[in-house]
């Protein structure tokens, strides 16, 4: 058989395979794939538009090019990214100062509470009201607690309590950072508890009972058995809590107030980034938004496998 005949035979076989695949597609699959592709494009288009805008000069590049098109050479610039990193650097450090401890503390306390509500030898009539309070706390909107929150921290002499910290040179404005840590911990415990409780109800009772028969105390059972197997759920809770706390603007606006404060978090600084008397610098705002989102993206990448395992569980 000649080479030409062999090539024709291979092409005919490939075409036959394609025809078989197309024949196996029914209307449901075609509609499903089209819907998935449409939703993917729907969600990714704003990200793509914002990303290409961040590389455009303002206002010439933004106004002279299509929103979804990459900028041509004369309208391409990295200056917006440099400006955004410089402007948001201090805020990102401040955000990390309260987001990291608040995330870890709320996750640990939520785990403790869930363990107590699932494994402690309480009567159901005692557990149910406490669980109901935790669940009810999840549905309290941020807006409903802003005024009471401001009044509460206005009466607590936290700045005086932290006087030794200010004595070593830390600005008193960082009182707001401590207030944000405590506030986010208190607000985050209920949702963390509910997430952990759903996970702990699947833990083998035989394993817990065997540990108790061996003489393990309630705390030792948590430390040696429950805590080590909670890694997937900790990943879920840490990612969720960190994202919520990092992106929160309302509590930061109430407790820190102004972007000019030394303790201003990144969300406060980002809110005013690119504003001037000449108008909005959309390219700078888009670059700032992507820079501010980097920590949450890094957290997702670091704990992605554990997150998927926890969600599946």
């Amino acid at each position: 058989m000649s080479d030409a005949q062999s090539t024709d035979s291979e092409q005919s076989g490939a075409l036959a395979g394609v025809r078989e695949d197309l024949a196996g597609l029914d209307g449901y699959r075609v509609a499903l794939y089209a819907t998935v592709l449409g939703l993917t494009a729907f969600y990714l288009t704003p990200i793509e538009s914002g990303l290409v805008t961040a590389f455009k000069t303002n206002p010439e590049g933004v106004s002279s090019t299509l929103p979804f098109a990459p900028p041509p050479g004369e309208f391409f610039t990295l200056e917006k990214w440099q400006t955004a990193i410089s402007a948001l650097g201090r805020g990102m450090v401040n955000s990390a100062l309260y987001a990291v401890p608040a995330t870890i503390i709320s996750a640990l306390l939520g785990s403790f509470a869930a363990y107590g509500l699932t494994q402690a030898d309480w009567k159901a009539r005692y557990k149910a009201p406490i669980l109901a309070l935790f669940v009810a706390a999840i549905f309290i909107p941020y807006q409903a607690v802003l005024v009471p929150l401001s009044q509460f921290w206005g009466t607590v002499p936290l700045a005086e309590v932290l006087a030794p910290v200010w004595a070593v040179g830390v600005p008193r404005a960082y009182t707001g950072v401590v207030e944000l840590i405590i506030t986010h911990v208190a607000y985050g415990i209920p949702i963390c508890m509910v997430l952990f409780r759903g996970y702990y109800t699947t833990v083998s009772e035989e394993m817990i009972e065997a540990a108790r028969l061996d003489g393990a105390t309630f705390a030792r059972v948590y430390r040696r058995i429950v805590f080590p197997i909670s890694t997937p759920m900790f990943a879920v809770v840490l990612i969720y809590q960190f994202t919520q706390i990092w992106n929160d603007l309302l509590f930061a606006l109430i407790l820190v107030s102004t972007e000019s404060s030394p303790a201003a978090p990144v969300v406060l600084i980002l809110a005013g980034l690119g504003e001037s008397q000449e108008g909005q610098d959309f390219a700078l705002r888009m670059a700032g938004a992507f820079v501010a989102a980097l920590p949450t993206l890094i957290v997702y990448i670091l704990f992605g496998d554990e997150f998927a395992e926890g969600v599946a569980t």
Side-chain angles (χ1 to χ4, degrees):
M1 183 182 294
S2 65
D3 292 341
Q5 291 176 332
S6 176
T7 302
D8 291 341
S9 177
E10 291 177 358
Q11 291 177 348
S12 299
L15 290 174
V18 172
R19 292 192 190 98
E20 291 179 0
D21 292 339
L22 291 175
L25 289 176
D26 53 17
Y28 172 77
R29 286 190 177 184
V30 172
L32 177 62
Y33 294 154
T35 302
V36 171
L37 290 175
L39 290 175
T40 301
F42 177 78
Y43 283 106
L44 291 183
T45 297
I47 299 177
E48 189 272 342
S49 178
L51 186 60
V52 298
T53 300
F55 289 100
K56 296 178 181 179
T57 58
N58 190 77
E60 298 85 2
V62 175
S63 59
S64 303
T65 58
L66 294 174
F68 310 116
E74 65 270 22
F75 295 134
F76 178 87
T77 180
L78 294 176
E79 179 185 357
K80 305 302 179 182
W81 290 88
Q82 297 170 352
T83 304
I85 293 173
S86 176
L88 298 177
R90 170 176 58 90
M92 295 184 73
V93 172
N94 292 335
S95 291
L97 287 177
Y98 69 82
V100 173
T103 299
I104 295 173
I105 295 171
S106 60
L108 287 173
L109 293 180
S111 175
F112 296 158
Y115 175 63
L117 286 173
T118 53
Q119 300 299 331
D121 295 327
W122 293 14
K123 293 183 179 180
R125 66 173 180 267
Y126 298 136
K127 286 185 179 181
I130 297 176
L131 178 61
L133 288 175
F134 275 106
V135 174
I138 297 175
F139 296 98
I140 300 175
Y142 282 19
Q143 294 84 349
V145 300
L146 293 182
V147 174
L149 181 68
S150 178
Q151 293 174 341
F152 171 78
W153 285 118
T155 60
V156 175
L158 186 61
E160 287 72 16
V161 174
L162 297 175
V165 178
W166 318 141
V168 299
V170 179
R172 290 175 64 91
Y174 279 86
T175 303
V177 171
V178 180
E179 293 172 352
L180 282 170
I181 293 175
I182 299 173
T183 301
H184 280 296
V185 168
Y187 217 93
I189 289 175
I191 184 62
C192 292
M193 189 284 299
V194 170
L195 291 173
F196 275 112
R197 183 181 180 277
Y199 182 74
Y200 290 159
T201 54
T202 64
V203 175
S204 171
E205 294 183 3
E206 291 78 9
M207 180 172 56
I208 301 296
E209 189 62 29
R212 290 174 178 171
L213 291 175
D214 288 340
T217 63
F218 188 72
R220 188 179 180 86
V221 170
Y222 176 82
R223 188 172 66 253
R224 293 298 182 89
I225 298 177
V226 176
F227 182 79
I229 65 176
S230 301
T231 302
M233 188 50 61
F234 266 104
V236 174
V237 172
L238 289 175
I239 289 176
Y240 174 82
Q241 272 295 93
F242 182 81
T243 304
Q244 290 289 106
I245 295 172
W246 184 271
N247 292 332
D248 174 64
L249 175 64
L250 287 178
F251 286 163
L253 192 62
I254 294 299
L255 300 178
V256 180
S257 300
T258 63
E259 63 182 81
S260 60
S261 170
V266 67
V267 287
L268 274 184
I269 301 175
L270 182 63
L273 188 67
E275 292 185 353
S276 65
Q277 294 182 349
E278 289 78 18
Q280 297 274 359
D281 190 337
F282 293 105
L284 179 57
R285 292 181 72 85
M286 289 297 100
F290 280 99
V291 171
L294 280 178
T296 55
L297 179 61
I298 292 172
V299 170
Y300 272 98
I301 293 173
L302 292 177
F303 298 100
D305 293 340
E306 291 81 1
F307 179 82
E309 182 180 351
V311 171
T313 303

